[in-house]
Amino acid sequence: MSGWEPGSSSLKTPSRTVTLGRVQPQTPALRTIFCNDRDSNFAHRYKGNSISTTKYNIFTFLPKGLYEQFRRVANLYFLMVSILSATPYSPVNPVTNMVPFSLVLLFSLIKEAFEDWQRFQNDNSINNTPVDVLQAQGWETLQWKKLQVGDIIRVKQDGFFPADILLLASTNADGVCYIETANLDGETNLKIRKALEKTWDYLTPEKACEFKGEVQCEQPNNSLYTFTGNLVIDNQTLPLSPNQILLRGCSLKNTDFIVGAVIFTGHETKVMMNSMNVPSKRSTLERKLDKLILALFSTLFSMCLIGAMSSGIFIDRKYFYLGLGETVEDQFNPSRRFMVIILTMLTLLTLYSTLIPISLYVSIETIKFVQSSQFINKDLNMYHAETNTPASARTSNLNEELGQVEYIFSDKTGTLTRNLMEFFKCSIGGEIYGTGMTEIERGIAERKGIKVQEVQTSTGSVREKGFNFDDVRLMRGAWRNEPNHDACKEFFRCLAICHTVLPEGDMSPEKIKYQAASPDEAALVLAAKNFGFFFYRRTPTTIYVRESHVERMGKIQDVSYEILNVLEFNSTRKRQSVVCRHPDGRLVLYCKGADTVIYERLGSGNDDLNKVTRDHLEQFGSAGLRTLCLAYRDLASDLYESWNEKFIKAKSSLRDREKRLDEVAELIEKELILIGATAIEDKLQDGVPSCIQTLSRAGIKIWVLTGDKMETAINIAYACNLLNNEMKQFIISSETDAIREVEERGDQAEIALFIKEEVKNQLKQCLDEAPQYFCSPSGPKLGLVIDGKCLMYALDPSLRVMLLTLSLNCASVVCCRVSPLQKAQVTSLVKKGARKITLSIGDGANDVSMIQAAHIGIGISGLEGMQAVMASDFAIAQFRFLEDLLLVHGRWAYIRLCKVVMYFFYKNLAFTLTQFWFTFNTGFSGQRFYDDWFQSLYNVIFTALPVVFVGLFDKDISPSLSKKYPELYKEGVRNMFFKWSVVVVWAFFAVYHSLVFFYFISASSSTCRDRSGKMFGLWDVSTMAFTCVVVTINLRLLMMCNSITKWHCISVGGSILVWFVFIFLYSAIMTPLDRNDNMYWVIYILMGTSYFYVTLLLVPVAALLVDFLYLSVQRWFFPYDYQIVQEIHKDDIHSTGTSDLLELKQQLTPDEARSYEISKLPKEVSKHTGFAFDSPGYESFFASQFSKYVPPKAWDVARRASMRSKATPK
Amino acid sequence: MSSNTPSSSAGGVGSADSAAPRRNSKRPKYSKFTQQELPACKPILTPRWVISAFMLVSIVFIPIGVVSLFASRDVVEIVDRYETACVPENFRNDKVSFIQSPSTNKSCTRRLTVPKRMKQPIYVYYQLDNFYQNHRRYVKSRSDSQLKDNSSWDDISSCKPEDDANGLPIVPCGLIAWSLFNDTYNFSLNNQQLVVNKRGISWKSDRDSKFGSDVFPRNFQNGSLIGGKSLDPTVRLSEQEDLIVWMRTAALPTFRKLYGKIERDLQPNEVIHVTLENNYNTYSFNGKKRLVLSTTSWLGGKNDFLGIAYLTVGGLCFFLALSFTVVYLVKPRRLGDPSYLSWNRNPGGH
């Protein structure tokens, strides 16, 4: 984390324009493209348009693929063992270790190849997509991959752009075309691109042939929304902007076709240069698994060491039958005992190599892959019908991590709230309109004892998505009769004109759709429509509004406003202005923005109105509404003209264009006249409060990290059940008088020092106070609210520990006004400082850093862009699906994986220990007990499949029960099933079983076991033992299952059967090539004795008896919670998924739960005015304000720029 | 999986499937597998189950144990340890030189009293101790191909160090064959020779498939006394049953090997005189030698282990079943008692 140390990072130059790593072009700084002239371009050797996203090709696959495999330590180990087993020191045939190892390698390589093949196919189909290219006066269909820089191409409606192209001409009037950028940022709204006027005509092939332009532009870079360049045509230099660039990945909409010139191709296109590598995460369980493997390694080495030392002691010439003459090889030379030890060490290492479970990783990967691709992705409970999005696991690494989450960091907007803005109230000319009551207000009123009667919706009320306003005084043109009707008119006009919304679809009020960057804007334009100011069409220079001043009288008037300038919204400005010319020639600047910003720029006079409106703003804010102020200014034409010159100059500047535009805008946005304020309601997502309650019962602590103001954040926290009045709340805020006073003095160093001191004091005070609450079990829970500025200082290394101690003791924490970087810092604080498993959930680009910082990142695939989803590990459509994801899938994945790991551990230990005991009886010579093939197939055939089925199907309780008893989740949080004590128990079983396997069989076979008095040899005994091992180990699996499907039975039975089939064949065939004849006929000899059957019954029962006893005692006296729940619901009929859902629905509807919780809202009336505007760029605003280095992230630029690129008419 | 590579999906815009699917429902298809609703039985270890399982095991195991134990007890076994007794008093302090000296008299006579009636066939075994036939160096020192087939008589690569003598390959080569046991036993009862049948003492599969009928011993040791027996070069390997038995290496350092069969009944208190040639050197490594005469039962030779193990397991299960029943009656735990849930036990804790 580069910005982790606030002190050091503040030394870095605050960069407001966020640049990306590769944005800055290297020499040469410019690229010159000769349009329609392949020969001239040839000299530059631009890359072709074919792309390849594959990791390997046919030649590199084997070396590279193998290299990837051997980067795993386990594989290296097995390679080493395989090599060792080919040396004379090996007691085993090389096949013993090579067969399973190559099977495992082969499996992994096939998987890699398959994935890469899919990528290749995908690339191929893209590369071979046809596109029309201008060649010899006509359009010719070529494949995408044949496209070259400088080609003139034609793209038809709904077609995708094959490369980054410069828009030359469009069939639409004014050279405009519409594009959809869903593939780039997930936004489905249309955006306008507009060709330079000079090139509008090059539409037909005949005309286009004549086009001989020269494009000078920046080198390829990955900044999606910036472009600087010039088009030189007919000795004229025309500036180019992103407005003329059509990016690969976008598609053409609402336009018959366009003609363009290719400028960047293939891997040099912006979208390809933007390909983001999601950092791969490993689950905590897997990291603990490494420790277990390490423990196994040390066990292995100590076993080898014991064996090797003893062999050094054992070896002696007295055993004449071993032929230990003077010339004996080193390993058995009694005169060189040290060498004996060293070499026997190698021998034993190969012999005991089965201790490390070779197929463990492959099995785990298979299990996890199926879990994520089949179970999580296809869970109907997590399918959101409204948005048609199923859940999606973007990585299969973290399934079991979902079962151990202790902290959830949630974004507010779009995650907890619906990001659905509804126009709810407004204040015009000092009068509040809108009779609705937010649920927050209703709650306040109820607590005050006022009976709230359900307001009858008046006849005039219009309710649609985005508009929930009811006031007869304004609707249906009634505002004409209001005393302040002029203000109303300006208000509505401002709403209808001052925005960057695109109308889409039919131009009737019923059918029109508004495409807007933020739902706030759409809601405002929608409101204007409902007030009778219907914005229905926009051209780059004009906005058409159908003004029906008095609807009943049918006075409908289409008015066109000429848009002269748009001063865009961004997070620094916190406002947006439009300069327009009314049909009557009147020049007006309309402005909307944050109250603080607007009030600074108001002209003198009208103090009463301003004061009343400010009161209203506070009222709205306390009701949880989002507010904006509207203002206007009449402009004199000469004043405007002189300003416009400066504006154009700033606009065409190549350097610092953005900054200079802001400066110019500052010149005209002053002396404004306030019209009023709007209030928009931010809807909560479905089921959020009940989901949060369930999760907190599951022991998960939920922190809200939001960029919103403290008051809004607190209100939402109340609404979501996170805070309530029974809680002791600690509020650490920078909005205190003392701090404000210091801030007014303006000395940065002093401010920093003062705030730090203040924060320290507050933290100390809270910490002093806190113990008395959380020490008593029945005491109130604690809640902490902290704002971004304080957080910045609290995250300082000296205070971090205090912050952590305090916040870990709080049931819920709300951080407001935090930047994306701080979100990530808070997440890392808990992740690294408290070593707890964290989960971040968010939907927006500003959550990306937090999503990447946490153990698990979850993206909401919802209304905002795809950036969060792209960075996430799992994507779900709704916050409430967390319940299924964590309590059902995560819990199961955790329990299953623990079982799988433990079982692997057990089965290999038990198997290898029989070898070890045998070693004691062979003079520590390292003689193998089992046949080579038994040993090599043990892991990959005879015990491989059943455990996979347990990893997939084991089910302790039904999903509905996991949600009904969320407390069960705590077992995962406490890591109950993968503790060292569990490992010890399994190790005990393994040791015990191996003792039973070896000693029972060797003791019972010491006298003849055949009616004809013949004795068993080594291989008869070992085959007997191996049969017992296979049967016992497979049966043990059934004992650890909570549910047994037919697949369990088939696989367990099948594994045992496969062993018998194998040994029947194997001992009947004699091949001279691969083995000694040791095993010939062995099983038939064995099965001809009654001893075989008597022992086969005895050994498994004697071994499993102890396990059974342990399981019974554990269940009877120390039951796990899930076992109790199993017992409670023992007789329940197995319910299906659909009825599970119904059952849950009946408990408490989210709305009921929510209104219940809302009734506990705080009594204080807050003084906040509720400014909120969904501004995707605000993270950089915070960053610059806090002098923070912002990590260059593609999304940041992308989001900021997407605002800008949207329909900027000139 | 491909979702891990956003670049390909972002770049994959041109592929045919991206254009249309917005209208299509992405609703996952229902299947019992993906919704994890496969029918399953969910066994719960209720006290009743536990007790009945233990009871069942004890009911099955105790009779088997009794039967096995009886089978083992039915077997009459005479064991005679002779490695010290067969060394003359004056050599007791230096047994190794006794056994290695070619001039000493190795003959020795033992008297064995039959304790109980022994039904024929009576098996004669020799039992060695501290003899690591399963030592790695020993086990692999043989050539299976050479034993099987005359044509590969010179395949001695795995036989070191006993692979050739005087430059000629040894058949059968290797340590195992070289160290063939060479004590011999002659039995007489009432001065009448007891015939020991040495045919059919090896596994038939070994005789038929592992030891070739066209293979004859060649260049084999001449039976110097320290180690093994000499082999009659005129007898084919498949008929050298002592060798075949010896070559089926034992699993443990203490082992018995079949020597022969006495095919007549022996009555109680009959005294068998054994004249043995004590040739084999176990004195170097302090190995014991035993002569064993034993009958068999359906379960094999005399070995109480299986019977005792069955009885122990069965008895243990019976005891466990009883104690669980007692616990169940004295201190029952109601099934599914919510008060046992951890969050109900200590509400404050977490």
Side-chain angles (χ1 to χ4, degrees), chain A residues 275 321-322 329 331 378 388 394 896 955 1008-1009 1013-1014 1018 1020 1044 1090 1094 1115-1116 1121 1127 1137, chain B residues 4 7 24 26 35-37 41 125 132 136-137 248-249 298-299 301 303 310 324 333 336 342:
Chain A
S275 58
Y321 53 87
L322 298 179
E329 67 261 34
Q331 190 174 2
K378 296 196 176 165
N388 191 19
R394 293 169 38 81
R896 287 168 182 172
K955 204 163 120 174
C1008 78
R1009 283 298 161 201
K1014 299 184 184 88
L1018 166 60
D1020 309 287
I1044 298 174
S1090 45
V1094 174
R1115 178 162 209 135
W1116 206 330
D1121 290 333
E1127 286 165 11
Chain B
N4 282 339
S7 62
N24 301 346
K26 290 180 190 155
Q35 301 310 309
Q36 311 195 52
E37 286 167 5
C41 75
Y125 300 95
Y132 288 88
R136 184 156 80 86
R137 186 172 163 79
R248 197 173 184 96
T249 50
W298 60 273
L299 197 54
N303 189 338
Y310 264 102
F324 268 87
R333 169 166 87 76
S342 65

Side-chain angles (χ1 to χ4, degrees), chain A residues 563-575:
Chain A
I563 304 298
L564 299 169
N565 304 87
V566 175
L567 306 171
E568 294 143 24
F569 191 96
N570 70 30
S571 42
T572 346
R573 285 160 43 75
K574 293 206 264 182
R575 62 190 183 275

Side-chain angles (χ1 to χ4, degrees), chain A residues 39 118 173 187 259 270 373 429 451 466 601 809 815 822 833 972 1007 1134:
Chain A
D39 297 333
Q118 284 191 324
E187 292 178 16
V259 172
K270 296 196 177 235
S373 68
K451 203 80 184 126
R601 289 168 177 76
N809 284 306
C815 302
Q822 284 180 318
T1007 61
H1134 181 255

